């Protein structure tokens, strides 16, 4: 955006301040004192405050020590990674590293770092800070730093500061998605001084290099971040501050947007989109899809041990009716465990068609001609890929009843739900996944490899041939070879049927008409430095 001359800035600043004082109830936090650096006569004041309504509070503001999306919504604006994803894709771009070079064998990666960057506490960002962060993650509790261990684990031999602004990674084995992993929100670089100062309380006192600085956290209410006046990218951020408000109910969040209490919301019910589009004061944002919703069929429980039974349940589900009833058409039937936008997606695989008669034939062949009983766990919280777990479970229950399978719907509080499903206690369960880095490894290996049993492989699916294909793809530097391996793995997975892939949704957000330059990211973690609110 081009800078305006001083006179126009004064005029525009004056008009904006009058509008704010008279009608913008969402710019909470009070007006600025005249003469301060955020005085409406300055360029910075044009940003104002954006209030972002979301479904839940964060669990931690230490990005390395959490796995949940509500945390990353905040931390991606406080911390920066060595490399970035593209504006609305997962292509790799410079971040805190300006350039990088892998060795021919893929075991050494040398990164040149941005110079002159400071953490929010005034300390210097440099190669030693990068080394400190990676050594902290490697030495820490494996459950606390889950993402480090799942994406890198014992595959990183060492991280060394070659000089003040050069860092070298030595790997024990090649990691094909190495740079995509580095761009993930959990690997935001934190201030070593702040970590040493706050210790276990760092999760409540985050200090990064990002465009915004942490101000306060009122649990289950709001998190406030403010403009980093010393941000190394000149002219950013555009906003003065952002307030993340926790409003659990989707309908209550939409009401807050309509009344002017908030400026931007996620978790919009698909059925509410026409109402929003018909309001000239509001606009709709569509997040590029990088997700999958599925029914997990725990492979170690009762009749679900049998492949034919799992295949029968796949034939029993009417996906198109689910999409029409619960997604207002804003989703596509899922055939494979990852969306078609991910490289290595197998387009040759055909979905299990909706065919109850075929399902009954398979049950008879498996020895369950009279059906059987099982539990179907319904998600207790809405997610972009699962707008209403209870109602979707009821629709699936009816589908299964048509083939003689009696599914008892069960649900738990969200944390308990995940914990018990993780332990393999569910017969079948609803769940989903939003990709972290756009790589096939982040879907197939993370969700369905035998190494992931006990973490994200809740179905306890295990196939040695699939494991060999996925680990080979993980270590290959040849992208064509990787894609071929993933396509072969998907064929086997499709036949084994550990899941019923349901849909790839196109999540909807909504905001005031005056919001510009907001680009929802497919990973669900939205950077806000370019956003303006007029």
């Amino acid at each position: 955006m081009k800078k305006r001359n001083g006179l126009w800035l004064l005029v525009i600043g004056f008009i904006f301040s009058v509008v704010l004082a008279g009608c913008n109830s969402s710019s909470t936090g009070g007006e600025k004192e005249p003469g301060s650096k955020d005085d409406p006569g300055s360029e910075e004041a044009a940003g104002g405050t954006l209030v972002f309504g979301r479904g839940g509070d964060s669990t931690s503001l230490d990005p390395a020590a959490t796995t949940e999306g509500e945390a990353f919504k905040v931390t991606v604006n406080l911390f920066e990674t060595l490399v970035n994803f593209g504006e609305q894709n997962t292509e790799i771009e410079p971040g805190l590293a300006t350039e990088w070079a892998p060795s021919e064998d893929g075991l050494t990666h040398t990164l040149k770092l941005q110079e002159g960057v400071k953490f929010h506490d005034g300390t210097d960002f440099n190669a030693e800070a990068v080394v400190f962060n990676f050594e902290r993650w490697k030495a820490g509790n494996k459950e606390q730093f889950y993402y480090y261990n799942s994406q890198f684990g014992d595959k990183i031999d060492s991280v060394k500061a070659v000089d003040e602004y050069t860092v070298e990674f030595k790997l024990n084995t090649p990691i094909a998605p190495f740079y995509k992993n580095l761009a993930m929100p959990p690997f935001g670089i934190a201030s070593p001084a702040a970590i040493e100062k706050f210790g276990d309380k760092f999760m409540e006192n985050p200090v990064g290099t990002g465009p915004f600085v942490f101000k306060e956290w009122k649990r289950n209410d709001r998190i406030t971040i403010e403009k980093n006046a010393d941000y190394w990218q000149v002219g950013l951020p555009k906003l003065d501050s952002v307030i993340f408000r926790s409003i659990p109910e989707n309908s209550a969040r939409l009401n807050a947007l309509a009344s002017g209490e908030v400026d931007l919301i996620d978790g919009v019910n698909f059925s509410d989109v026409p109402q929003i589009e018909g309001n000239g004061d509001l606009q709709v944002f569509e997040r590029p899809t990088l997700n999958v919703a599925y029914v997990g069929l725990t492979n170690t429980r009762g009749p679900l041990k049998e492949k034919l039974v799992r295949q029968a349940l796949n034939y029993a589900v009417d996906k198109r009716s689910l999409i029409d009833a619960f997604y207002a058409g804003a989703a596509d039937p899922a055939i494979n465990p990852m969306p078609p936008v991910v490289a290595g997606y197998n387009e040759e695989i055909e979905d299990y068609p909706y065919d109850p008669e075929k399902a009954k034939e398979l049950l008879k062949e498996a020895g369950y001609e009279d059906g059987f009983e099982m539990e179907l766990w319904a998600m207790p919280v809405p997610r972009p890929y699962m707008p209403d777990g209870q109602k979707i479970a009821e629709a699936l229950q009816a589908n299964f009843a048509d083939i003689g399978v009696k599914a008892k719907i069960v649900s738990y509080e969200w944390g308990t739900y995940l914990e018990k499903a993780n332990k393999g206690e569910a017969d079948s369960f609803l769940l989903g996944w939003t990709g972290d880095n756009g790589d096939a490894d982040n879907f197939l290996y993370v969700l369905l490899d035998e190494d992931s049993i006990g973490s994200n492989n809740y179905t306890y699916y295990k196939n040695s041939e699939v494991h060999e294909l996925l680990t080979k793809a993980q270590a290959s530097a040849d992208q064509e070879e990787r894609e071929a391996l993933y396509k072969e793995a998907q064929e086997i997975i499709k036949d084994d049927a550990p899941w019923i892939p349901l849909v790839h949704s196109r999540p909807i957000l909504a905001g005031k008409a005056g919001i510009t330059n907001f680009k929802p990211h497919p990973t669900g973690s939205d950077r806000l430095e370019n956003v303006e609110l007029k």
Side-chain angles (χ1 to χ4, degrees), residues 84-98:
N84 289 333
F85 291 131
E87 188 174 62
Q88 285 193 294
N89 57 51
T90 54
E91 298 302 312
I92 298 303
E93 298 179 352
L96 288 173
T98 59

Side-chain angles (χ1 to χ4, degrees), residues 80-340:
E80 295 177 294
T81 46
L82 294 176
V83 292
N84 289 333
F85 291 131
E87 188 174 62
Q88 285 193 294
N89 57 51
T90 54
E91 298 302 312
I92 298 303
E93 298 179 352
L96 288 173
T98 59
E99 57 183 277
W100 48 91
S103 61
E104 189 172 337
D105 61 7
L107 295 176
T108 302
H109 298 266
T110 305
L111 289 82
K112 295 289 184 181
L113 306 180
Q114 181 74 37
E115 299 183 20
V117 176
K118 289 191 177 291
F119 291 103
H120 300 155
D121 58 7
T123 58
D124 292 331
F125 164 77
N126 51 33
E128 291 293 347
V130 174
V131 172
F132 178 95
N133 276 266
F134 276 85
E135 289 184 344
R136 175 194 180 219
W137 303 331
K138 185 174 185 177
N141 182 291
K142 289 189 175 182
E143 291 185 2
Q144 179 187 18
F145 298 129
Y146 165 79
Y147 267 110
Y148 178 83
N149 286 285
S150 68
Q151 304 302 126
F152 297 117
D154 58 3
K155 295 169 185 165
I156 294 182
D157 178 58
S158 65
V159 185
K160 184 176 82 171
V162 177
D163 58 40
E164 188 173 8
Y165 294 109
T166 307
V167 64
E168 180 184 82
F169 290 80
K170 290 280 191 182
L171 308 184
N172 293 314
T173 184
I175 304 175
F178 178 73
Y179 293 101
K180 284 183 177 286
N181 289 352
L182 288 182
M184 290 165 51
F187 305 117
I189 304 299
S191 162
I195 291 171
E196 291 175 346
K197 176 181 177 181
F198 294 111
D200 292 341
K201 295 292 184 181
F202 180 75
M203 63 170 285
E204 300 171 353
N205 299 275
V207 180
T209 61
F212 293 91
V213 178
F214 172 73
K215 181 183 179 184
E216 67 173 350
W217 184 359
K218 295 182 179 179
R219 296 277 186 170
N220 298 314
D221 179 13
R222 66 184 61 203
I223 293 174
T224 303
I225 60 178
E226 294 185 330
K227 180 173 191 167
N228 179 3
D230 300 314
Y231 188 48
W232 60 278
Q233 295 199 54
V234 178
L236 298 177
K238 303 292 188 180
L239 295 164
D240 292 323
S241 59
V242 180
I243 298 173
F244 294 91
R245 284 278 313 279
S246 298
I247 306 175
E249 293 295 328
N250 287 4
S251 57
R253 215 174 307 124
L254 179 56
N255 289 338
L257 175 64
S259 68
E261 184 183 343
V262 302
D263 305 303
L264 179 66
I265 62 171
D266 61 7
V268 173
N269 291 326
F270 294 100
S271 58
D272 289 331
V273 172
Q275 172 190 341
I276 298 167
E277 290 179 331
N279 187 333
D281 294 328
L282 303 178
Q283 61 178 312
V284 167
F285 302 94
E286 186 174 296
R287 188 182 300 285
T289 185
L290 189 61
N291 64 41
V292 61
Y294 64 92
V295 181
L297 306 173
T298 307
N299 289 201
T300 55
R301 295 183 67 86
L304 299 177
K305 294 177 183 177
E306 301 292 332
K307 180 170 71 172
L308 290 177
V309 170
R310 299 194 301 269
Q311 290 177 343
L313 293 175
N314 269 270
Y315 279 111
V317 174
D318 185 354
K319 297 179 187 179
R320 178 51 61 186
S321 292
L322 289 177
I323 291 170
D324 292 341
F326 305 111
Y327 296 85
D332 298 304
I335 300 172
N336 294 318
M338 63 186 194

Side-chain angles (χ1 to χ4, degrees), residues 451-471:
D451 286 349
S452 298
I453 293 174
S455 56
N456 285 305
N457 182 353
Y458 290 8
T459 63
Y460 283 63
Y461 171 62
K462 188 174 183 179
N463 183 302
S464 58
E465 189 177 357
V466 169
H467 175 69
E468 183 178 349
L469 291 167
L470 296 182
T471 51

